[in-house]
């Protein structure tokens, strides 16, 4: 059974901005007063890097599923933002899944519904970060979500990854009839690539049969911002302010005829921060519309 206000962020290919989307949308929603929970179901556990807390080995999360215990929630990673950390041990869930099925105890989707459902009422928004290559975890997340958001780049391998998510969606459709495709997010499509963006949007619309929009907001890619954000554990809107402070410090040093200290690689993150702000607004609007559809259905 679907858990209200739960979003699975999925892709069949890695390296398309999935975890960055989860962390930044979650952080911005929380900053707006939306009580948010991020559940990192990816063995890479990169949500920790994006949010700047110590990486986990994922064992506590694995144990929660193995023993029926409570999810290990890190409280107030940011105001109004809690996180369930992932890590390498999460990759062993496939073995647990086989054991559950052999014992007639359901599957990972059943276990996720039980553990997540116990605390879901504390949150306005739950974001599930899923691994690209693990079908058991990906379909389990779709089994409990009310919507799915799919990030993609413009290359053919990423588009194929969208197709794999569409297949997983169909696999759980009978089990979770409340699940909706909220939309697709374009990553790393340059502002001058008008024709490329148009062609990619058309291809995705054809692939998904027009049942899911491609969000108007695209997320530009800045290598310098990506490096700075993960190395310092800053979300992009936080990095924007840090970049301003860094510029001020450089100017102050230059005026004093001193050598500026080594600072951030990025000089201006305002455009990227605006992208994430606009995307968060679009996603929250889409989720509200989906919730209304589910209630009236």
């Amino acid at each position: 059974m679907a858990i209200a206000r739960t979003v699975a962020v999925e892709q069949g290919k890695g390296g398309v901005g999935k975890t960055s989307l989860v962390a930044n949308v979650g952080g911005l929603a929380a900053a707006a007063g939306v009580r948010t929970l991020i559940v990192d179901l990816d063995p890479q556990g990169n949500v920790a890097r994006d949010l700047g807390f110590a990486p986990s080995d994922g064992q506590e999360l694995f144990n929660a599923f193995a023993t029926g215990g409570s999810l290990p929630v890190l409280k107030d990673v940011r105001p109004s933002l809690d996180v369930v950390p992932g890590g390498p041990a999460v990759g062993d869930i496939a073995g647990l899944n086989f054991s559950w099925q052999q014992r007639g105890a359901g599957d990972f989707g059943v276990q996720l519904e039980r553990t997540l459902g116990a605390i879901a009422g504390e949150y306005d928004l739950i974001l599930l970060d899923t691994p690209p290559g693990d079908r058991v975890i990906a379909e389990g997340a779709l089994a409990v979500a009310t919507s799915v958001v799919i990030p993609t780049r413009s290359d053919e391998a990423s588009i194929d990854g969208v197709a794999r998510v569409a297949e997983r969606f169909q696999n759980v459709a009978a089990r979770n009839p409340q699940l909706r495709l909220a939309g697709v997010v374009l990553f790393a499509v340059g502002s001058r690539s008008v024709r490329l963006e148009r062609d990619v949007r058309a291809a995705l619309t054809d692939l998904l049969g027009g049942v899911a929009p491609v969000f108007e907001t695209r997320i530009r890619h800045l290598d310098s911002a990506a490096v700075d954000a993960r190395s310092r554990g800053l979300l992009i809107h936080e990095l924007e302010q840090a970049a301003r402070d860094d510029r001020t410090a450089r100017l102050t040093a230059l005026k004093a005829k001193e050598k500026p200290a080594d600072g951030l690689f990025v000089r201006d993150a305002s455009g990227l921060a605006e992208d994430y702000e606009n995307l968060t607004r679009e996603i929250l609007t889409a989720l509200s519309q989906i919730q209304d559809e589910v209630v009236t259905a």
Side-chain angles (χ1 to χ4, degrees), residues 44 56 60 64 78 98 104 129 159 161 182 217 255 258 266 285:
Q44 293 187 68
S56 168
E60 284 189 87
R78 299 288 193 281
F98 179 77
D129 188 18
I159 303 301
T217 303
K255 287 178 180 178
E258 298 173 354
V266 70
T285 298

Side-chain angles (χ1 to χ4, degrees), residues 85-111:
V90 177
D92 296 330
I93 284 176
L96 276 181
N97 192 70
F98 179 77
S99 176
W100 288 323
Q101 291 177 323
Q102 290 297 304
R103 293 186 285 112
D107 60 8
F108 176 63
V110 171
Q111 304 303 321

Side-chain angles (χ1 to χ4, degrees), residues 64-88:
F65 292 124
T67 65
S70 300
L71 291 174
V73 180
L74 289 179
K75 294 286 189 178
D76 296 319
V77 173
R78 299 288 193 281
S80 296
L81 177 62
D82 296 347
V83 178
V84 175

Side-chain angles (χ1 to χ4, degrees), residues 28 217 273-283:
L28 285 166
T217 303
E274 184 178 2
D275 290 347
Y276 275 113
E277 289 166 6
N278 291 336
L279 177 62
T280 300
R281 191 177 300 112
E282 275 199 81
I283 289 176

